[in-house]
Amino acid sequence: MHSQKIDLIAFITLILTALMPFAANFPILIQASQILAQTPTDRKAEADRLVKQGIEQFQTSQFEVAFQSWQQALVIYREIKDRQGEGAVLNNLGVAYNILGDYTKAIEYLQQSLAIARETKNRQQQADILGGLGSAYLKLGDYTKAIDYQQQRLAIAKEIKDRTAQQQSLGELGIAYLKLEDYTKAINYQQQSLAIAREIKDRKGERNALGNLGNVYNFLEDYAKAVGYYQQSLAISREIKDPKAESIALNNLGSVYFALKDYSKAIEYYQQYLLMTPQIKDRKTEVVVLENIAKSYEGLKDLPRAIKYYQQLLALARQIKDQKRELLALFSLGKAYKQLKEFPIAIEYYQQLLAIAHQIKDQQIQLLALMNLGIGYDELKDFPQVIKYYQQALVVSPEIKNREYELLVLKNLGDAYISLKDYAKAIDAFQQALVLARQIKDIKNEAAFLINLGHSYFSLNNYAQSIDYHQQALVIVRQLKDQKKELLALLEIGLAYETLKDLPQAIQYYQQALVVSREIKNPQYEVMALGRLGTA
């Protein structure tokens, strides 16, 4: 039988490393070697046929049957002791698993293939396999091993004068060092990669290096340089008609302008990205872009447009089952409608947020939803509902061990009871809050709770207790130089003494209140103090 070529597919792996909170990165391209293997035997021919069949199956996304074909070919090559054919199939399997994202299996097969390439002293194959191993370890987050394999590949590539392999390894070394936060090395390797790409007129390699340099400068918050590199990358992506890379560049430019708080410019690039979504079909990035457009409109104080994009974000997040962004969208919609004072709609979104938080047992989100529901009902003056949600929040807040939230819940609960004139329950809430404020040494809130307790006892006609709490508050507010709270305490102490018919004491505190009201230039309280002095 005539000898046949093993027509190995030139696999291309897109190494996308998440370098920014809400932006994808530029790909580094890894290509497997093409290997010629010849034998006159029927077994060899059958193995060759299986290899070709596996390639065709993999190209049409029949991954499982492709792996079966290659595994059968591997058995035959091992039976006939064809080491070159065996190494080729192992490499195919490794590259295929790399493409599919199973990096552990990719490494397993590529290591076996590397051993054979070293045995047969095929330097080109060694370089290609080392590159694949470096890429797999990069995706697994083992940057030290990724660097080691890319350095080995780089050394061989220089030896055999493979400029493309050099350019690719330098680019991946740059990404690895960026992940290790060694920005000087990251820039150095990407600059070398860029120089070689331009030398060999590799426009894709040039675009990748430019994008990766943009990523480094973005991390360094040198946004002017980041924009320059991303713009160059965008121009090349459009020139070579690579929509995926173009979308990544647009997203990155939007992200930089978002970081600069130039929201109009950010929206401009994000909108261009959205126009490409039917073509690139990357729903995971699309939700991030919708989120950032909504946040940009929030930054511009354009709440109606922000709501529009949060609604789109919510719909897409539910479609692709991105629960994290579903929760974010619900919270943001509730917040936006609350700012627009459309409290019934805000409450509706917070109710949905609470339902999911209960379902996934996320107590922090439960607390956030419960507190906002309390605020919403407070705006509607529906105080029984306010109390209902704050009481639930009071159960949750100690669980997440956030004393500040617990303090806020107790304060709001006390305020709700005061609105209902249920001063006994208000006192209970404020007493708990006072104990907590003292535990965490929050003297500002300690003073506020003392004043609230003083007011509550005054409302219950317990003037002695009211005076006591206001006197304690006075010591703290004077220490804090908080003259507004000092004025409130002085007036209520004066009123308590006046009610107790102790007019000299009442006059003394009204006179102090008059002095403070004039110091802070508050005519309303000055008139009040003068009025009380006239009465006393």
Side-chain angles (χ1 to χ4, degrees), residues 49 63 111 117 365 405-406 442 450 510:
R49 185 192 67 77
F63 303 127
Q111 288 284 16
I365 296 174
Y405 275 141
E406 191 176 347
D442 182 347
L450 286 165
Y510 288 145

Side-chain angles (χ1 to χ4, degrees), residues 12 44 138 151 255 301 377 457 507:
I12 296 178
K44 169 69 173 170
L138 184 68
Q151 288 285 16
S255 300
K301 312 297 182 192
Y377 280 111
Y457 276 111
I507 290 168

Side-chain angles (χ1 to χ4, degrees), residues 13 15 67 87 89-116 118 128-150:
T13 307
I15 306 299
F67 290 138
V89 175
L90 288 166
N91 182 68
N92 256 24
L93 286 160
V95 174
Y97 278 117
N98 233 346
I99 291 170
L100 295 175
D102 190 338
Y103 304 111
T104 304
K105 277 191 178 176
I107 288 166
E108 177 189 334
Y109 284 110
L110 289 172
Q111 288 284 16
Q112 293 177 63
S113 182
L114 179 61
I116 294 172
R118 283 172 172 164
D128 293 334
I129 297 164
L130 287 163
L133 284 163
S135 297
Y137 278 113
L138 184 68
K139 292 298 287 183
L140 286 173
D142 190 338
Y143 306 119
T144 304
K145 280 187 179 174
I147 288 167
D148 178 47
Y149 281 110
Q150 292 298 348

Side-chain angles (χ1 to χ4, degrees), residues 434 438 443-455 465-490 492-493 509:
L434 179 61
R438 284 171 170 166
I443 61 169
K444 186 175 180 181
N445 270 315
E446 181 184 350
F449 296 133
L450 286 165
I451 289 172
N452 286 341
L453 282 162
H455 174 73
Q465 282 279 52
S466 176
I467 291 167
D468 178 49
Y469 280 113
H470 278 117
Q471 290 282 17
Q472 292 180 61
L474 270 181
V475 174
I476 299 172
V477 295
R478 282 169 173 164
Q479 179 186 336
L480 294 171
K481 295 183 171 55
D482 186 340
Q483 289 186 298
K484 286 185 180 179
K485 283 192 176 68
E486 181 184 0
L487 181 57
L488 290 172
L490 288 166
E492 196 141 287
I493 293 172
Y509 282 100

Side-chain angles (χ1 to χ4, degrees), residues 368-384:
L368 193 65
L370 289 164
M371 289 178 71
N372 278 288
L373 282 163
I375 291 167
Y377 280 111
D378 187 69
E379 293 288 349
L380 295 174
K381 310 299 181 192
D382 187 342
F383 299 114

Side-chain angles (χ1 to χ4, degrees), residues 110-126:
L110 289 172
Q111 288 284 16
Q112 293 177 63
S113 182
L114 179 61
I116 294 172
R118 283 172 172 164
E119 177 189 316
T120 57
K121 296 182 170 53
N122 189 322
R123 299 296 272 166
Q124 183 66 62
Q125 287 176 38
Q126 289 175 44

Side-chain angles (χ1 to χ4, degrees), residues 167-186:
Q167 184 266 324
Q168 291 169 356
S169 281
L170 288 163
E172 290 228 337
L173 284 163
I175 293 173
Y177 278 112
L178 175 57
K179 284 295 199 175
L180 292 172
E181 299 181 9
D182 189 336
Y183 302 115
T184 303
K185 281 186 179 176

